[in-house]
Amino acid sequence: MTLTANWSYPTAIRFGAGRISEIADACAATGITKPLLVTDRGLAGLPITQATLDLLEAAGLGRAMFADVDPNPNEINMQAGVDVYRAGGHDGVIAFGGGSGLDLGKMVAFMAGQTRPVWDFEDVDDWWTRADADAIAPIIAVPTTAGTGSEVGRASVITNSQTHVKKIIFHPKVLPSIVICDPELTVGMPQMITAGTGMDAFAHCLEAFCSPHFHPMSQGIALEGMRLVKDYLPRAYADGTDIEARAQMMAAAAMGATAFQKGLGAVHALSHPVGAVYNTHHGMTNAVVIPPVLRMNRPMIETRIADAANYLGISGGFDGFYDYVLQLRADLGVPDKLRDLGVGTDRIDEMTVMALNDPSTGGNPVEMTPENTKALFEACI
């Protein structure tokens, strides 16, 4: 089986090793003649980024880049990117990188033509209709990790620099027009990032699968996404040059973000405030909090998880699945507790309030309350 394909669900995806070579063609297909490549500081000087800029320059598209992006991007980063976009007369964005680069790149394209503040477009009710849809610039997404799946998402997570609260900014046209998924771009990922981003993809699939909302298509995608992670994340972690494992993990990442249209839950409701307050790696934070969330949700998901375990070839029903998660975390070097990531107990009450206000709470199988949410934080830390 060749791991090269063209997909149009949920958007146009050019999948396969070496397909970054099609970046100029993707610009032509979306009408972009002067792109701004948005990435993070860590990627800015790496060969994969410079090679992509070389491809753009060779095609007469310039080599403009904005890389002033924090690990948990905020509205200050976004405004700086918008200023560069406007000053350079750009007509489209190439969002390049992991979750931070992809999320901020999408927001630069979204906000470059808006007149209202970004917080007016938070994913609340129909606030997205406030945006001038015609002013949203075309977006090409190029993931260089296999975790967030932001390349196939209609939203970005932006941290409010004043309140340190993560906000989800949504609009249907934030979905990139073309995605280039080239697993060769992920070969250089360090083991820790491979583990953290891979567990992020797993968390997306797991929470979507457990969400009580009705979305059968997402349900199936989530289940198969978990299987891909089970089969290929250990391989990618053990050998970063295993291109088949890297490709399958890129697919799992996109599947997780597609599946969580069905909903997320307490894993992300806890992870978002922890990341905002302590600046922890999002995927690694998810990985740490999964077991306590599974324990809390067990009364509502035991049968469903047993079904997933059967599909994944894990014996023992819920308990077998739970033990598998613990072993996977250990094999990937995931810390057991949030304290190992530098998280303290002094801000639990504050983070409890933040978690209960997070949009992810609505997808948790067990209703989240101040009491059980605080208990979850205590168990995780």
Side-chain angles (χ1 to χ4, degrees), residues 3 7 13 15 145-147 149 151-152 181 183 201 205 221 224-225 228-229 244-258:
L3 296 177
W7 299 329
I13 303 173
F15 191 100
T145 65
E151 65 272 13
V152 295
C181 281
C205 293
I221 292 170
E224 177 64 3
L228 292 182
V229 173
E244 180 186 10
R246 290 296 197 187
Q248 297 285 10
M249 283 305 302
M250 288 199 94
M255 291 166 73
T258 302

Side-chain angles (χ1 to χ4, degrees), residues 293-368:
V293 171
L294 282 173
R295 293 197 300 268
M296 184 184 84
N297 286 335
R298 180 169 187 163
M300 300 299 294
I301 65 172
E302 185 164 3
T303 300
R304 181 169 291 188
I305 289 296
D307 291 341
N310 288 334
Y311 180 78
L312 297 173
I314 299 169
S315 61
F318 181 94
D319 290 325
F321 183 89
Y322 182 85
D323 290 343
Y324 157 74
V325 171
L326 293 182
Q327 188 60 54
L328 177 63
R329 295 195 322 162
D331 292 344
L332 298 176
V334 175
D336 186 51
K337 299 292 183 181
L338 288 176
R339 65 171 178 266
D340 300 316
L341 298 179
V343 179
T345 59
D346 54 319
R347 301 182 70 173
I348 286 181
D349 289 339
E350 176 188 355
M351 291 193 297
T352 296
V353 173
M354 293 166 69
L356 291 170
N357 289 327
D358 192 277
S360 302
T361 60
N364 200 63
V366 171
E367 182 181 359
M368 296 179 68

Side-chain angles (χ1 to χ4, degrees), residues 57 65-66 104 130 176 184 221 238 277 282 327 368:
E57 187 174 39
M65 177 174 66
F66 174 77
L104 197 77
R130 298 169 171 176
E184 290 182 348
I221 292 170
V277 172
H282 174 67
Q327 188 60 54
M368 296 179 68

Side-chain angles (χ1 to χ4, degrees), residues 31-38 85 89-94 109 137-140:
I32 299 175
T33 60
K34 196 174 184 182
L36 176 66
L37 188 146
V38 177
Y85 181 93
H90 298 288
D91 60 0
V93 167
I94 298 171
I139 305 165
I140 297 168

Side-chain angles (χ1 to χ4, degrees), residues 3-19:
L3 296 177
T4 302
N6 295 329
W7 299 329
S8 58
Y9 178 75
T11 187
I13 303 173
R14 303 185 184 194
F15 191 100
R19 299 199 70 176

Side-chain angles (χ1 to χ4, degrees), residues 88-145:
H90 298 288
D91 60 0
V93 167
I94 298 171
F96 188 96
S100 56
L102 294 174
D103 275 6
L104 197 77
K106 294 191 310 186
M107 283 297 97
V108 169
F110 175 60
M111 289 298 296
Q114 306 302 321
T115 57
R116 303 177 67 142
V118 67
W119 311 126
D120 282 2
F121 309 113
E122 187 181 350
D123 189 16
V124 176
D125 298 328
D126 63 351
W127 286 14
W128 64 272
T129 60
R130 298 169 171 176
D132 180 354
D134 294 334
I136 301 173
I139 305 165
I140 297 168
V142 183
T144 62
T145 65

